[in-house]
Amino acid sequence: MMLYLRLFWEFFKTGLFAVGGGMATIPFLYNMADATGWFTRNDVANMIAVGESTPGPIGVNMATYVGFVTGSNMGGPLFAVLGAAVATIGLVTPSILIILVIASFLNSFRDNKLVDSAFYGLRPASTGLIAAAGLSVVVSNLFFFEGFLSPEIVNWKGWALAVVLWVLTNKVKQTKKLHPILFILASAAAGIVFGM
């Protein structure tokens, strides 16, 4: 029972401060990985790949995934489903509560300059969180950080895939206009085939 309460609380905190969408939750997930041990920092990169490849908001997909894996470590499928539900509810609860409060006071907030200024100030913070998340995903996929004395720091397979994708999406006329889902599927296949 305590695990489910902690799952709810960790994702409640994440949902409370995830201004800017699901990608803004990634720094919180790295912190959660360090604090709880439910998953590793490398697992976050996998969660992002799966979360971006599946329908639905990435933050909710990742909360569901973490809850499912954490619950399944406690027992069978019932524990896994319960963990997924608790983590997902924890993530979306702050948004629901905030929307309910704002909706009840919408008319008085509509022309309030302080509220307008607060939302204006949240934009750069949200942009910074998303940029940090994007940078951490790039670094974690292109470099290995097992230790600075490790003989192999550069993930050459990751770099090769990144270069191929960049060329196909920016330089090759026939592939520039293909739908992004094709590149996502091709990248997933490459990850499976080459064990990335």
Side-chain angles (χ1 to χ4, degrees):
M1 185 60 159
M2 289 303 292
L3 175 71
Y4 296 117
L5 289 174
R6 180 133 190 234
L7 260 174
F8 181 85
W9 174 243
E10 292 293 334
F11 280 100
F12 183 87
K13 291 187 302 187
T14 301
L16 191 59
F17 295 105
V19 178
M23 293 303 278
T25 64
I26 294 172
F28 295 100
L29 288 173
Y30 281 124
N31 186 38
M32 193 184 304
D34 295 338
T36 64
W38 291 334
F39 51 92
T40 66
R41 286 178 163 260
N42 288 335
D43 290 338
V44 174
N46 293 333
M47 286 190 282
I48 293 166
V50 171
E52 286 285 359
S53 306
T54 54
I58 186 170
V60 172
N61 291 348
M62 290 192 291
T64 305
Y65 174 80
V66 170
F68 187 86
V69 170
T70 305
S72 67
N73 290 337
M74 296 219 14
L78 182 62
F79 291 104
V81 171
L82 184 59
V86 166
T88 304
I89 290 168
L91 183 75
V92 300
T93 298
S95 299
I96 292 170
L97 294 175
I98 291 169
I99 288 170
L100 289 173
V101 168
I102 289 175
S104 66
F105 296 106
L106 185 60
N107 287 332
S108 61
F109 279 141
R110 203 171 274 180
D111 297 324
N112 190 323
K113 289 186 179 183
L114 288 174
V115 172
D116 190 43
S117 296
F119 278 113
Y120 185 76
L122 285 173
R123 289 181 191 148
S126 174
T127 303
L129 283 171
I130 293 170
L135 183 62
S136 65
V137 169
V138 168
V139 168
S140 70
N141 283 298
L142 299 181
F143 299 98
F144 297 114
F145 289 107
E146 303 299 324
F148 288 106
L149 299 177
S150 174
E152 188 173 331
I153 292 177
V154 176
N155 180 355
W156 294 109
K157 293 177 186 177
W159 275 98
L161 180 60
V163 168
V164 168
L165 285 173
W166 183 81
V167 168
L168 290 175
T169 57
N170 291 292
K171 298 296 180 189
V172 179
K173 187 177 182 179
Q174 293 83 359
T175 58
K176 272 172 81 168
K177 296 184 181 184
L178 290 176
H179 197 279
I181 193 72
L182 296 175
F183 292 106
I184 292 171
L185 292 173
S187 297
I192 292 168
V193 170
F194 297 109
M196 294 191 297

